[in-house]
Amino acid sequence: MNLMNTLQIPTTKLDLFIRSVEISSYLPGRVRLHSKQLAGNPALEVEVQAQLGAFPEIASVETSTVTGSILIKYDPAVLRKNAELRKVEEYIMTHAKRR
């Protein structure tokens, strides 16, 4: 087993990003994140939209600088073909808030 995976150390920009936000909810195909840094920060909103929107496996990204919310919608079967995104989804599944 890879030591980096065992320690869960971020190894990519996407990995680092997902660990910097609160994972509010997860359903296969729909993830809601919250970022305190996004609230009131339109420049960061543009960057988040561009970075996440660059993945063809992600159907849509909705952001709000009022609430700091990021809503990501995707087809799970399509997303899971991308190893990096599959790894991020697995992280999200295990770290989403339980309600």
Side-chain angles (χ1 to χ4, degrees):
M1 179 168 252
N2 184 326
L3 180 60
M4 297 299 262
N5 288 338
T6 303
L7 297 176
Q8 294 189 343
I9 296 171
T11 56
T12 66
K13 286 174 66 175
L14 185 58
D15 233 4
L16 187 59
F17 167 75
I18 203 62
R19 293 163 195 258
S20 73
V21 296
E22 179 182 304
I23 302 164
S24 298
S25 65
Y26 165 80
L27 291 171
R30 186 180 189 283
V31 175
R32 181 168 307 273
L33 309 171
H34 280 93
S35 167
K36 291 179 183 174
Q37 292 81 16
L38 181 61
N41 190 339
L44 182 57
E45 178 181 40
V46 169
E47 185 176 339
V48 167
Q49 286 277 347
Q51 293 291 323
L52 295 177
F55 288 98
E57 298 86 354
I58 295 176
S60 69
V61 178
E62 299 171 26
T63 54
S64 170
T65 57
V66 174
T67 63
S69 173
I70 304 166
L71 178 63
I72 302 169
K73 296 180 184 175
Y74 60 94
D75 178 333
V78 172
L79 181 122
R80 292 172 187 157
K81 291 178 182 176
N82 178 317
E84 181 181 12
L85 292 176
R86 184 177 59 246
K87 179 181 172 189
V88 170
E89 185 189 34
E90 289 168 0
Y91 177 86
I92 289 170
M93 282 189 267
T94 60
H95 291 82
K97 282 186 172 182
R98 306 287 184 235
R99 294 183 190 221

